[in-house]
Amino acid sequence: MAHWFHRNPLKATSPVTYELRGIPTNGQSQKICSELRQTRNHLLDIICNPNVDPSALMSAVNNYLGLLDGFIVSLDEEKGGDSKLRHAVRYRWTNTLLGNTPTEQYDAVFEKISILFNVAVWYTKHAAVYAGKDEPKMDEAKEIHKCLRIAAGIFTNIKNVLVPQLIEQPEKSTDLDPRVLDAYIQQCTAEAQEVTIARAIELKHNASLISALAHETAQMYTTADCSLKVLNDKVTQKWQKYLQFKSEIYYAYAYNFHGENLLAQDKCGEAIKCLEESQSHYTKATQLAKEYASTKGAGTTAKPQEHLFFRKLEPVVQRTLDKCVRENGFIYHQKVPPVAPDLELKATYGLVAPEEFSSPTRNAQWTAEVYNAFDITKLPEKQDEKQDEKSSKKEKKEEGDIAPVKEVDVNQSNKDPKTFSGCMIS
């Protein structure tokens, strides 16, 4: 099956050694620093492969973030609040839309956010692995649905819980820009709902339900596009073309099934207008697919125009429209309204919500005694702001950009699925 999902790249990062030069003062505190380095490296090794088992990935995530928690939250019962180690280490991460130039912060919260962001992106790619098979089974369709909901939940947690904890606020178009995060949340939720729609079409559920679900999905993609549109940034254009395509194709599906539902109610004139509206959205989607393919930008290039789910709709709409025109001429003699009837605003079943995400618990190695064994008086003294900014710019220039992550390819079948819906995830 041709690529149906657009996927942005993983964030890349520079090595972090956790060699704190005298700050850990005993064997246990030194062991934590050593394990932080090892668990981080292990996580970065496996996250570039979307084929690994989710349990293996999450075990690596929990191991690293469980240790990192001591650098984020204080273990001092009297003082509480932020860990004294929160700003002890510098972290450098690229952004999915901005190429190889990194953003950097001396902040363990920034590190946690960046790790979880990659985990969410990984789940979208893992879903694409299942979606790219010749004929995914029901359990695999459920896994796609689950992975996309998990990804949406992680992005939601980052936006609502973690980003507000940052001291340095995100810059425009970076991954932590709330508008970029909104686009990821909406896209993941909409893609999960696509699985529901495909299933509903395959099982020939009520046309009004399918229309309402398709309408909700189209609106999600429109919302995602609007989140990026306000940035007015060239780096988002390719992603936006994908979101616009998905919005138009699901509006086309929504009007098609709304037309079928109206025809069943003997409202032939309104049905004709709905089907004409479906054709209009399909034409727009066809043009957007071409524009998407020719637009430069980050991420893998999907091939939505080659997908059977897309190709199958046009002749279906035309056949139904031809039938409506014939029946209206012979039986109903109804006027075709100048404007298409409103779509159902809310689906009664099948709506998708992000799966709630909770941060990993702190590693048991962290105790008050171990925490106190870190001597922050050994941290380098901060320079004044101007010197610090000058030094930071010099460091960035000397270290340069970060090479992109070498990701394992997601294999995609080129066979059309043998399903009624034309979708491989039904």
Side-chain angles (χ1 to χ4, degrees), residues 89-151:
V89 179
R90 182 168 66 114
Y91 302 97
R92 304 172 76 235
W93 286 89
T94 60
N95 295 280
T96 53
L97 301 174
L98 301 178
N100 301 330
T101 302
T103 299
E104 66 173 54
Q105 291 193 31
Y106 280 87
D107 193 341
V109 173
F110 174 69
E111 167 76 351
K112 179 179 180 177
I113 292 171
S114 300
I115 289 290
L116 287 176
F117 192 101
N118 260 7
V119 173
V121 173
W122 181 90
Y123 269 105
T124 69
K125 293 173 185 279
H126 189 63
V129 169
Y130 286 112
K133 293 186 177 182
D134 286 349
E135 296 287 344
K137 299 176 182 177
M138 177 54 65
D139 288 345
E140 292 170 328
K142 290 179 180 178
E143 189 68 20
I144 295 166
H145 191 263
K146 181 181 179 181
C147 284
L148 292 167
R149 289 180 60 233
I150 290 172

Side-chain angles (χ1 to χ4, degrees), residues 284-327:
K284 291 177 184 176
T286 302
Q287 180 59 34
L288 283 165
K290 294 176 182 177
E291 292 175 10
Y292 166 76
S294 62
T295 302
K296 293 182 179 180
T300 58
T301 298
K303 301 173 183 176
Q305 72 281 4
E306 297 180 12
H307 200 295
L308 183 60
F309 186 71
F310 174 71
R311 290 187 282 117
K312 191 170 184 176
L313 180 60
E314 185 177 29
V316 168
V317 174
Q318 189 61 58
R319 282 197 301 270
T320 310
L321 179 58
D322 290 344
K323 177 183 176 182
C324 285
V325 171
R326 283 197 310 272
E327 297 299 314

Side-chain angles (χ1 to χ4, degrees), residues 145 189-206 209-221 246 249-251 253-254 257 309 347 349-352 420-423 425-426:
H145 191 263
T189 308
E191 288 180 350
Q193 199 152 288
E194 288 189 55
V195 181
T196 304
I197 293 170
R199 184 68 181 160
I201 295 172
E202 190 68 22
L203 296 180
K204 300 181 181 179
H205 280 296
N206 187 284
L209 173 62
I210 298 171
S211 175
L213 285 170
H215 183 208
E216 294 276 359
T217 305
Q219 287 184 314
M220 288 179 191
Y221 280 118
K246 283 297 189 75
I249 193 61
Y250 279 101
Y251 272 122
Y253 265 95
F257 281 98
F309 186 71
Y349 304 100
L351 289 176
V352 171
F420 173 73
S421 64
C423 189
I425 53 177
S426 57

